[in-house]
Amino acid sequence: MNKSDLLFYDAYEAFYKMAGESEAFRLFCKEAFGEDFSQDGFSNVAQIERILQYIPEKKDVHILDIGCGNGKMLEFLQRKTNAYIHGFDYSAEAIKTAQALFTERAEFREGIIGEIEYPAEVFDVIASMDTMYFAKDMTAFVAQVKRWLKPGGVFFVGYQEGDVVPKTENAHTSLLAEALNRNGLHYEVTDITEETYELLKNKREAALKYQKEFAKEGHDEWFDMLIGQTDCATEPVEQFKEKMGRYLYVVRTERDS
């Protein structure tokens, strides 16, 4: 498969190169999200900290991040739990950075959603923050995730509608909810749309704060991208909610009897 044909591939190669070089972007992430995970989206530290409650307090814990980028989110979870971290991403630039930065109890692989494979029942927690949209067949990929999880494991998903995928009526009518139901997986879901609206407003303010720093680095186009991503937060929240929805899904696999 030609990776350039994949959704946003070339853009993400350029993005992770910038993220590895730009001090302005690091400062922006800390200001906008509370931690620098090299975010190109909506995952602030409060959302990521919600994963912690599902990570078992035992020695041999394994976490997989689907679309791990340069591994900074996984390193944050490892710092809090001492878990073994695994991640894959289709971006060669991102994985090269992750492999260089994080070498202890860590495995990072270059791979494509729906094509990469792992052994059955090896992960205690699998996280996907804004990456399920990249699955060509979401139902088939959820079946893979189900197979990779240990009995009693948790699948934690940050999922947004209204940009990459169309907005449906609610969290229970989304493409992801349909894929989970088809795989016989029960889920709990939290609607964080209003929380995301506030996050986007903060993201816009942070970008404006560091506009001059982006310009000094010659990264004006990335500043413009951040402003474009947050235009929707300049309208009233009720209008925003008509167009966008953001949800956190938690799926628990059945324990062995």
Side-chain angles (χ1 to χ4, degrees), residues 110-138:
E110 193 177 332
I112 297 170
I113 288 177
E115 295 186 10
I116 196 168
E117 190 56 270
Y118 289 92
E121 299 185 1
V122 294
F123 298 114
D124 298 275
V125 176
I126 297 178
S128 167
M129 300 305 292
D130 299 292
T131 54
M132 291 302 291
Y133 333 105
F134 292 85
K136 286 190 173 181
D137 184 334
M138 200 176 294

PDB file of all heavy atoms in Angstrom, residues 110-138:
ATOM      1  N   GLU A 110       5.933   0.721  13.474  1.00  0.00           N
ATOM      2  CA  GLU A 110       5.279   1.403  12.363  1.00  0.00           C
ATOM      3  C   GLU A 110       4.231   0.449  11.796  1.00  0.00           C
ATOM      4  O   GLU A 110       4.539  -0.709  11.486  1.00  0.00           O
ATOM      5  CB  GLU A 110       6.321   1.743  11.302  1.00  0.00           C
ATOM      6  CG  GLU A 110       5.850   2.721  10.255  1.00  0.00           C
ATOM      7  CD  GLU A 110       6.956   3.080   9.269  1.00  0.00           C
ATOM      8  OE1 GLU A 110       8.147   3.022   9.655  1.00  0.00           O
ATOM      9  OE2 GLU A 110       6.613   3.391   8.114  1.00  0.00           O
ATOM     10  N   GLY A 111       2.988   0.898  11.693  1.00  0.00           N
ATOM     11  CA  GLY A 111       1.937   0.014  11.216  1.00  0.00           C
ATOM     12  C   GLY A 111       0.658   0.759  10.928  1.00  0.00           C
ATOM     13  O   GLY A 111       0.448   1.884  11.394  1.00  0.00           O
ATOM     14  N   ILE A 112      -0.209   0.120  10.171  1.00  0.00           N
ATOM     15  CA  ILE A 112      -1.457   0.708   9.701  1.00  0.00           C
ATOM     16  C   ILE A 112      -2.625   0.025  10.402  1.00  0.00           C
ATOM     17  O   ILE A 112      -2.667  -1.202  10.534  1.00  0.00           O
ATOM     18  CB  ILE A 112      -1.585   0.548   8.170  1.00  0.00           C
ATOM     19  CG1 ILE A 112      -0.448   1.320   7.474  1.00  0.00           C
ATOM     20  CG2 ILE A 112      -2.953   1.015   7.666  1.00  0.00           C
ATOM     21  CD1 ILE A 112      -0.339   1.024   5.982  1.00  0.00           C
ATOM     22  N   ILE A 113      -3.573   0.811  10.858  1.00  0.00           N
ATOM     23  CA  ILE A 113      -4.781   0.280  11.487  1.00  0.00           C
ATOM     24  C   ILE A 113      -5.478  -0.698  10.531  1.00  0.00           C
ATOM     25  O   ILE A 113      -5.707  -0.383   9.371  1.00  0.00           O
ATOM     26  CB  ILE A 113      -5.737   1.424  11.868  1.00  0.00           C
ATOM     27  CG1 ILE A 113      -5.185   2.193  13.065  1.00  0.00           C
ATOM     28  CG2 ILE A 113      -7.146   0.909  12.163  1.00  0.00           C
ATOM     29  CD1 ILE A 113      -6.010   3.384  13.475  1.00  0.00           C
ATOM     30  N   GLY A 114      -5.781  -1.869  11.037  1.00  0.00           N
ATOM     31  CA  GLY A 114      -6.430  -2.894  10.224  1.00  0.00           C
ATOM     32  C   GLY A 114      -5.460  -3.848   9.570  1.00  0.00           C
ATOM     33  O   GLY A 114      -5.862  -4.925   9.116  1.00  0.00           O
ATOM     34  N   GLU A 115      -4.176  -3.477   9.529  1.00  0.00           N
ATOM     35  CA  GLU A 115      -3.169  -4.345   8.906  1.00  0.00           C
ATOM     36  C   GLU A 115      -2.171  -4.893   9.924  1.00  0.00           C
ATOM     37  O   GLU A 115      -1.728  -6.028   9.797  1.00  0.00           O
ATOM     38  CB  GLU A 115      -2.416  -3.589   7.806  1.00  0.00           C
ATOM     39  CG  GLU A 115      -3.294  -3.196   6.631  1.00  0.00           C
ATOM     40  CD  GLU A 115      -2.511  -2.578   5.494  1.00  0.00           C
ATOM     41  OE1 GLU A 115      -1.251  -2.615   5.529  1.00  0.00           O
ATOM     42  OE2 GLU A 115      -3.134  -2.050   4.556  1.00  0.00           O
ATOM     43  N   ILE A 116      -1.820  -4.072  10.918  1.00  0.00           N
ATOM     44  CA  ILE A 116      -0.875  -4.537  11.935  1.00  0.00           C
ATOM     45  C   ILE A 116      -1.544  -5.594  12.801  1.00  0.00           C
ATOM     46  O   ILE A 116      -2.764  -5.609  12.964  1.00  0.00           O
ATOM     47  CB  ILE A 116      -0.390  -3.350  12.792  1.00  0.00           C
ATOM     48  CG1 ILE A 116       0.868  -3.737  13.572  1.00  0.00           C
ATOM     49  CG2 ILE A 116      -1.498  -2.821  13.695  1.00  0.00           C
ATOM     50  CD1 ILE A 116       1.574  -2.556  14.207  1.00  0.00           C
ATOM     51  N   GLU A 117      -0.726  -6.502  13.365  1.00  0.00           N
ATOM     52  CA  GLU A 117      -1.293  -7.560  14.191  1.00  0.00           C
ATOM     53  C   GLU A 117      -0.457  -7.732  15.456  1.00  0.00           C
ATOM     54  O   GLU A 117       0.757  -7.488  15.456  1.00  0.00           O
ATOM     55  CB  GLU A 117      -1.350  -8.878  13.399  1.00  0.00           C
ATOM     56  CG  GLU A 117      -2.133  -9.992  14.069  1.00  0.00           C
ATOM     57  CD  GLU A 117      -3.570  -9.597  14.400  1.00  0.00           C
ATOM     58  OE1 GLU A 117      -3.775  -9.078  15.520  1.00  0.00           O
ATOM     59  OE2 GLU A 117      -4.458  -9.811  13.570  1.00  0.00           O
ATOM     60  N   TYR A 118      -1.139  -8.135  16.531  1.00  0.00           N
ATOM     61  CA  TYR A 118      -0.500  -8.487  17.795  1.00  0.00           C
ATOM     62  C   TYR A 118      -1.045  -9.838  18.245  1.00  0.00           C
ATOM     63  O   TYR A 118      -2.141 -10.257  17.808  1.00  0.00           O
ATOM     64  CB  TYR A 118      -0.811  -7.437  18.867  1.00  0.00           C
ATOM     65  CG  TYR A 118      -0.114  -6.105  18.668  1.00  0.00           C
ATOM     66  CD1 TYR A 118      -0.739  -5.070  17.961  1.00  0.00           C
ATOM     67  CD2 TYR A 118       1.157  -5.872  19.194  1.00  0.00           C
ATOM     68  CE1 TYR A 118      -0.105  -3.849  17.784  1.00  0.00           C
ATOM     69  CE2 TYR A 118       1.795  -4.653  19.017  1.00  0.00           C
ATOM     70  CZ  TYR A 118       1.163  -3.647  18.312  1.00  0.00           C
ATOM     71  OH  TYR A 118       1.804  -2.440  18.135  1.00  0.00           O
ATOM     72  N   PRO A 119      -0.343 -10.534  19.148  1.00  0.00           N
ATOM     73  CA  PRO A 119      -0.874 -11.791  19.678  1.00  0.00           C
ATOM     74  C   PRO A 119      -2.170 -11.567  20.448  1.00  0.00           C
ATOM     75  O   PRO A 119      -2.462 -10.455  20.896  1.00  0.00           O
ATOM     76  CB  PRO A 119       0.242 -12.277  20.616  1.00  0.00           C
ATOM     77  CG  PRO A 119       1.466 -11.559  20.174  1.00  0.00           C
ATOM     78  CD  PRO A 119       1.003 -10.223  19.663  1.00  0.00           C
ATOM     79  N   ALA A 120      -2.927 -12.627  20.633  1.00  0.00           N
ATOM     80  CA  ALA A 120      -4.187 -12.539  21.380  1.00  0.00           C
ATOM     81  C   ALA A 120      -3.918 -12.387  22.872  1.00  0.00           C
ATOM     82  O   ALA A 120      -2.943 -12.922  23.411  1.00  0.00           O
ATOM     83  CB  ALA A 120      -5.028 -13.778  21.122  1.00  0.00           C
ATOM     84  N   GLU A 121      -4.797 -11.627  23.522  1.00  0.00           N
ATOM     85  CA  GLU A 121      -4.858 -11.510  24.977  1.00  0.00           C
ATOM     86  C   GLU A 121      -3.528 -11.102  25.610  1.00  0.00           C
ATOM     87  O   GLU A 121      -3.032 -11.721  26.546  1.00  0.00           O
ATOM     88  CB  GLU A 121      -5.359 -12.826  25.592  1.00  0.00           C
ATOM     89  CG  GLU A 121      -6.758 -13.196  25.129  1.00  0.00           C
ATOM     90  CD  GLU A 121      -7.320 -14.431  25.823  1.00  0.00           C
ATOM     91  OE1 GLU A 121      -6.614 -15.003  26.690  1.00  0.00           O
ATOM     92  OE2 GLU A 121      -8.456 -14.815  25.510  1.00  0.00           O
ATOM     93  N   VAL A 122      -2.954  -9.993  25.103  1.00  0.00           N
ATOM     94  CA  VAL A 122      -1.675  -9.529  25.656  1.00  0.00           C
ATOM     95  C   VAL A 122      -1.766  -8.173  26.352  1.00  0.00           C
ATOM     96  O   VAL A 122      -0.874  -7.819  27.122  1.00  0.00           O
ATOM     97  CB  VAL A 122      -0.585  -9.456  24.561  1.00  0.00           C
ATOM     98  CG1 VAL A 122      -0.254 -10.828  24.041  1.00  0.00           C
ATOM     99  CG2 VAL A 122      -0.990  -8.522  23.444  1.00  0.00           C
ATOM    100  N   PHE A 123      -2.861  -7.414  26.135  1.00  0.00           N
ATOM    101  CA  PHE A 123      -2.923  -6.061  26.663  1.00  0.00           C
ATOM    102  C   PHE A 123      -3.980  -5.930  27.756  1.00  0.00           C
ATOM    103  O   PHE A 123      -5.104  -6.412  27.617  1.00  0.00           O
ATOM    104  CB  PHE A 123      -3.222  -5.059  25.545  1.00  0.00           C
ATOM    105  CG  PHE A 123      -2.157  -5.035  24.482  1.00  0.00           C
ATOM    106  CD1 PHE A 123      -2.446  -5.464  23.195  1.00  0.00           C
ATOM    107  CD2 PHE A 123      -0.872  -4.610  24.774  1.00  0.00           C
ATOM    108  CE1 PHE A 123      -1.469  -5.461  22.217  1.00  0.00           C
ATOM    109  CE2 PHE A 123       0.110  -4.609  23.798  1.00  0.00           C
ATOM    110  CZ  PHE A 123      -0.177  -5.030  22.519  1.00  0.00           C
ATOM    111  N   ASP A 124      -3.605  -5.230  28.821  1.00  0.00           N
ATOM    112  CA  ASP A 124      -4.544  -4.923  29.894  1.00  0.00           C
ATOM    113  C   ASP A 124      -5.429  -3.742  29.517  1.00  0.00           C
ATOM    114  O   ASP A 124      -6.605  -3.706  29.872  1.00  0.00           O
ATOM    115  CB  ASP A 124      -3.777  -4.584  31.177  1.00  0.00           C
ATOM    116  CG  ASP A 124      -2.933  -5.743  31.666  1.00  0.00           C
ATOM    117  OD1 ASP A 124      -3.484  -6.604  32.374  1.00  0.00           O
ATOM    118  OD2 ASP A 124      -1.740  -5.782  31.336  1.00  0.00           O
ATOM    119  N   VAL A 125      -4.840  -2.768  28.826  1.00  0.00           N
ATOM    120  CA  VAL A 125      -5.552  -1.567  28.395  1.00  0.00           C
ATOM    121  C   VAL A 125      -5.132  -1.237  26.965  1.00  0.00           C
ATOM    122  O   VAL A 125      -3.939  -1.280  26.644  1.00  0.00           O
ATOM    123  CB  VAL A 125      -5.250  -0.361  29.307  1.00  0.00           C
ATOM    124  CG1 VAL A 125      -5.933   0.903  28.775  1.00  0.00           C
ATOM    125  CG2 VAL A 125      -5.692  -0.633  30.740  1.00  0.00           C
ATOM    126  N   ILE A 126      -6.099  -0.923  26.129  1.00  0.00           N
ATOM    127  CA  ILE A 126      -5.831  -0.408  24.793  1.00  0.00           C
ATOM    128  C   ILE A 126      -6.514   0.947  24.693  1.00  0.00           C
ATOM    129  O   ILE A 126      -7.707   1.076  24.989  1.00  0.00           O
ATOM    130  CB  ILE A 126      -6.341  -1.349  23.694  1.00  0.00           C
ATOM    131  CG1 ILE A 126      -5.595  -2.692  23.771  1.00  0.00           C
ATOM    132  CG2 ILE A 126      -6.164  -0.724  22.304  1.00  0.00           C
ATOM    133  CD1 ILE A 126      -6.062  -3.721  22.744  1.00  0.00           C
ATOM    134  N   ALA A 127      -5.756   1.959  24.293  1.00  0.00           N
ATOM    135  CA  ALA A 127      -6.279   3.323  24.172  1.00  0.00           C
ATOM    136  C   ALA A 127      -6.267   3.756  22.716  1.00  0.00           C
ATOM    137  O   ALA A 127      -5.356   3.419  21.950  1.00  0.00           O
ATOM    138  CB  ALA A 127      -5.446   4.289  25.004  1.00  0.00           C
ATOM    139  N   SER A 128      -7.300   4.489  22.332  1.00  0.00           N
ATOM    140  CA  SER A 128      -7.375   5.088  21.002  1.00  0.00           C
ATOM    141  C   SER A 128      -7.928   6.496  21.159  1.00  0.00           C
ATOM    142  O   SER A 128      -9.107   6.676  21.428  1.00  0.00           O
ATOM    143  CB  SER A 128      -8.287   4.269  20.080  1.00  0.00           C
ATOM    144  OG  SER A 128      -8.601   5.000  18.903  1.00  0.00           O
ATOM    145  N   MET A 129      -7.061   7.476  21.006  1.00  0.00           N
ATOM    146  CA  MET A 129      -7.498   8.863  21.126  1.00  0.00           C
ATOM    147  C   MET A 129      -7.516   9.480  19.729  1.00  0.00           C
ATOM    148  O   MET A 129      -6.468   9.768  19.142  1.00  0.00           O
ATOM    149  CB  MET A 129      -6.566   9.642  22.058  1.00  0.00           C
ATOM    150  CG  MET A 129      -6.510   9.083  23.483  1.00  0.00           C
ATOM    151  SD  MET A 129      -8.132   8.942  24.294  1.00  0.00           S
ATOM    152  CE  MET A 129      -8.568  10.664  24.496  1.00  0.00           C
ATOM    153  N   ASP A 130      -8.718   9.607  19.179  1.00  0.00           N
ATOM    154  CA  ASP A 130      -8.914  10.218  17.862  1.00  0.00           C
ATOM    155  C   ASP A 130      -8.197   9.458  16.750  1.00  0.00           C
ATOM    156  O   ASP A 130      -7.563  10.059  15.882  1.00  0.00           O
ATOM    157  CB  ASP A 130      -8.458  11.685  17.882  1.00  0.00           C
ATOM    158  CG  ASP A 130      -9.266  12.499  18.869  1.00  0.00           C
ATOM    159  OD1 ASP A 130     -10.469  12.710  18.620  1.00  0.00           O
ATOM    160  OD2 ASP A 130      -8.711  12.908  19.899  1.00  0.00           O
ATOM    161  N   THR A 131      -8.307   8.126  16.779  1.00  0.00           N
ATOM    162  CA  THR A 131      -7.650   7.330  15.734  1.00  0.00           C
ATOM    163  C   THR A 131      -8.554   6.282  15.093  1.00  0.00           C
ATOM    164  O   THR A 131      -8.197   5.742  14.045  1.00  0.00           O
ATOM    165  CB  THR A 131      -6.398   6.619  16.287  1.00  0.00           C
ATOM    166  OG1 THR A 131      -6.754   5.858  17.447  1.00  0.00           O
ATOM    167  CG2 THR A 131      -5.308   7.617  16.657  1.00  0.00           C
ATOM    168  N   MET A 132      -9.712   5.998  15.674  1.00  0.00           N
ATOM    169  CA  MET A 132     -10.561   4.943  15.118  1.00  0.00           C
ATOM    170  C   MET A 132     -11.071   5.290  13.720  1.00  0.00           C
ATOM    171  O   MET A 132     -11.392   4.412  12.925  1.00  0.00           O
ATOM    172  CB  MET A 132     -11.739   4.660  16.046  1.00  0.00           C
ATOM    173  CG  MET A 132     -11.345   4.007  17.356  1.00  0.00           C
ATOM    174  SD  MET A 132     -10.465   2.435  17.163  1.00  0.00           S
ATOM    175  CE  MET A 132     -11.784   1.388  16.542  1.00  0.00           C
ATOM    176  N   TYR A 133     -11.118   6.593  13.403  1.00  0.00           N
ATOM    177  CA  TYR A 133     -11.597   7.010  12.077  1.00  0.00           C
ATOM    178  C   TYR A 133     -10.701   6.494  10.955  1.00  0.00           C
ATOM    179  O   TYR A 133     -11.106   6.444   9.797  1.00  0.00           O
ATOM    180  CB  TYR A 133     -11.636   8.542  11.951  1.00  0.00           C
ATOM    181  CG  TYR A 133     -11.807   9.294  13.225  1.00  0.00           C
ATOM    182  CD1 TYR A 133     -10.738   9.959  13.822  1.00  0.00           C
ATOM    183  CD2 TYR A 133     -13.053   9.370  13.842  1.00  0.00           C
ATOM    184  CE1 TYR A 133     -10.901  10.665  14.994  1.00  0.00           C
ATOM    185  CE2 TYR A 133     -13.220  10.074  15.015  1.00  0.00           C
ATOM    186  CZ  TYR A 133     -12.140  10.716  15.594  1.00  0.00           C
ATOM    187  OH  TYR A 133     -12.304  11.415  16.757  1.00  0.00           O
ATOM    188  N   PHE A 134      -9.465   6.139  11.277  1.00  0.00           N
ATOM    189  CA  PHE A 134      -8.513   5.726  10.259  1.00  0.00           C
ATOM    190  C   PHE A 134      -8.703   4.265   9.841  1.00  0.00           C
ATOM    191  O   PHE A 134      -8.045   3.798   8.922  1.00  0.00           O
ATOM    192  CB  PHE A 134      -7.081   5.938  10.764  1.00  0.00           C
ATOM    193  CG  PHE A 134      -6.708   7.393  10.922  1.00  0.00           C
ATOM    194  CD1 PHE A 134      -7.023   8.086  12.077  1.00  0.00           C
ATOM    195  CD2 PHE A 134      -6.059   8.067   9.908  1.00  0.00           C
ATOM    196  CE1 PHE A 134      -6.688   9.423  12.234  1.00  0.00           C
ATOM    197  CE2 PHE A 134      -5.714   9.402  10.046  1.00  0.00           C
ATOM    198  CZ  PHE A 134      -6.035  10.083  11.207  1.00  0.00           C
ATOM    199  N   ALA A 135      -9.592   3.554  10.520  1.00  0.00           N
ATOM    200  CA  ALA A 135      -9.872   2.158  10.163  1.00  0.00           C
ATOM    201  C   ALA A 135     -10.754   2.108   8.916  1.00  0.00           C
ATOM    202  O   ALA A 135     -11.831   2.701   8.893  1.00  0.00           O
ATOM    203  CB  ALA A 135     -10.562   1.450  11.324  1.00  0.00           C
ATOM    204  N   LYS A 136     -10.299   1.389   7.907  1.00  0.00           N
ATOM    205  CA  LYS A 136     -11.126   1.240   6.701  1.00  0.00           C
ATOM    206  C   LYS A 136     -12.396   0.458   7.007  1.00  0.00           C
ATOM    207  O   LYS A 136     -13.450   0.707   6.420  1.00  0.00           O
ATOM    208  CB  LYS A 136     -10.312   0.540   5.600  1.00  0.00           C
ATOM    209  CG  LYS A 136      -9.262   1.432   4.962  1.00  0.00           C
ATOM    210  CD  LYS A 136      -8.667   0.774   3.740  1.00  0.00           C
ATOM    211  CE  LYS A 136      -7.745   1.737   3.007  1.00  0.00           C
ATOM    212  NZ  LYS A 136      -7.157   1.127   1.790  1.00  0.00           N
ATOM    213  N   ASP A 137     -12.286  -0.516   7.897  1.00  0.00           N
ATOM    214  CA  ASP A 137     -13.431  -1.314   8.331  1.00  0.00           C
ATOM    215  C   ASP A 137     -13.428  -1.292   9.857  1.00  0.00           C
ATOM    216  O   ASP A 137     -12.706  -2.059  10.491  1.00  0.00           O
ATOM    217  CB  ASP A 137     -13.317  -2.742   7.800  1.00  0.00           C
ATOM    218  CG  ASP A 137     -14.521  -3.603   8.125  1.00  0.00           C
ATOM    219  OD1 ASP A 137     -15.208  -3.322   9.130  1.00  0.00           O
ATOM    220  OD2 ASP A 137     -14.772  -4.572   7.378  1.00  0.00           O
ATOM    221  N   MET A 138     -14.203  -0.393  10.463  1.00  0.00           N
ATOM    222  CA  MET A 138     -14.155  -0.217  11.913  1.00  0.00           C
ATOM    223  C   MET A 138     -14.622  -1.457  12.649  1.00  0.00           C
ATOM    224  O   MET A 138     -14.073  -1.817  13.692  1.00  0.00           O
ATOM    225  CB  MET A 138     -14.973   1.003  12.323  1.00  0.00           C
ATOM    226  CG  MET A 138     -14.598   1.523  13.700  1.00  0.00           C
ATOM    227  SD  MET A 138     -15.465   3.045  14.187  1.00  0.00           S
ATOM    228  CE  MET A 138     -14.816   4.218  13.001  1.00  0.00           C
TER     229      MET A 138
END
